[in-house]
Amino acid sequence: MGAVTGGRKAEWNRRAAGLALTMMALILVASTGWTVSAQSPVPAGEPVQIPLASKAAIVMDAASGRILFEHNAHQPLPPASVTKVMTLVLALEAVERGDVSLTDMVTTSSRAASMGGTQIWLETGERMAFGDLLYAIAVGSANDASVAVAEYLAGTESAFAVRMTERARELGALNTQFLNASGLPPQTVGLTGDHVTSAYDMALISRHALTLPHFLELVSTYGPVVMRPDGKR
């Protein structure tokens, strides 16, 4: 796959290290966008009012876990593709344990190939390296790659989603329930129930993700990347 190489990659990783820490510390879970208007400097010690359009928000220091700002931080809300942070967590933990390798070849199921939304157009029966699928998830937010990884690790996406929820609870994310690996609305992929998390929970999960080998490299890779130049789709 065509990721950034050589000196350019090193420069991007250097610049993106601080950027990714900042971005992952600020987790906004909302059905609408968020806005912050320009304000005059506030004297030290006085509270800062931040006008938001989002339903929930949090700013957490990635190093210490200290909460710097929060708004409805524990309210369960649909996380959409932020779900993929948890998908990457389980995948990279499996790599760290030695259960799988980044060079493992993963065969795409018909279900994985059928995912809509953002995707890399995997074809049924197509084989791709596990590590390349992780790049597709992190850089391209690929729903088909998310399902392929979930099925490879747990047999089925539903079983993987159970693991996602269990691991989230272990990390302290108590207002979280995952039903799939991509974040697609459950009803669009034949599921029922609530697929939700909170701003606080996603901040906890993201803070843990930053400690895992390869995570920062994945999320700081400059995109888009060309994953399948010879694909039929």
Side-chain angles (χ1 to χ4, degrees):
M1 46 81 66
V4 182
T5 58
R8 187 180 176 202
K9 180 177 181 179
E11 172 64 12
W12 266 104
N13 285 342
R14 182 187 68 77
R15 292 169 55 191
L19 177 61
L21 286 170
T22 301
M23 292 179 66
M24 297 305 293
L26 177 59
I27 302 296
L28 299 176
V29 183
S31 59
T32 62
W34 67 283
T35 58
V36 179
S37 61
Q39 294 180 315
S40 300
V42 177
E46 292 190 14
V48 178
Q49 300 300 319
I50 302 178
L52 297 173
S54 61
K55 293 182 179 180
I58 194 168
V59 180
M60 177 183 287
D61 181 77
S64 67
R66 179 187 175 195
I67 297 174
L68 307 177
F69 172 83
E70 60 181 312
H71 170 69
N72 294 335
H74 297 283
Q75 181 181 352
L77 293 167
S81 279
V82 181
T83 297
K84 295 182 175 77
V85 174
M86 192 71 231
T87 300
L88 290 172
V89 164
L90 290 192
L92 293 176
E93 287 182 339
V95 172
E96 189 175 30
R97 290 192 304 269
D99 295 343
V100 297
S101 168
L102 295 176
T103 59
D104 286 359
M105 297 304 294
V106 179
T107 302
T108 304
S109 70
S110 58
R111 176 172 172 77
S114 72
M115 292 296 107
T118 54
Q119 56 189 304
I120 56 169
W121 302 100
L122 289 170
E123 298 166 12
T124 302
E126 179 178 356
R127 288 163 56 80
M128 181 174 284
F130 189 80
D132 284 349
L133 290 171
L134 298 189
Y135 273 104
I137 296 169
V139 182
S141 191
N143 297 324
D144 47 0
S146 298
V147 176
V149 165
E151 292 176 339
Y152 186 70
L153 291 174
T156 67
E157 185 184 16
S158 295
F160 185 79
V162 171
R163 292 188 187 181
M164 292 171 70
T165 301
E166 290 174 347
R167 186 69 181 109
R169 300 287 173 85
E170 292 172 359
L171 294 172
L174 303 181
N175 290 306
T176 292
Q177 175 176 283
F178 293 118
L179 297 183
N180 61 55
S182 67
L184 286 168
Q187 63 273 17
T188 67
V189 289
L191 301 172
T192 58
D194 295 324
H195 181 93
V196 293
T197 188
S198 68
Y200 175 80
D201 285 3
M202 280 312 308
L204 286 181
I205 293 167
S206 298
R207 185 179 175 225
H208 170 67
L210 288 168
T211 70
L212 297 174
H214 307 295
F215 183 82
L216 187 56
E217 176 187 351
L218 288 166
V219 299
S220 64
T221 296
Y222 181 71
V225 295
V226 178
M227 301 295 300
R228 303 177 61 255
D230 301 320
K232 297 177 183 178
R233 299 173 70 192

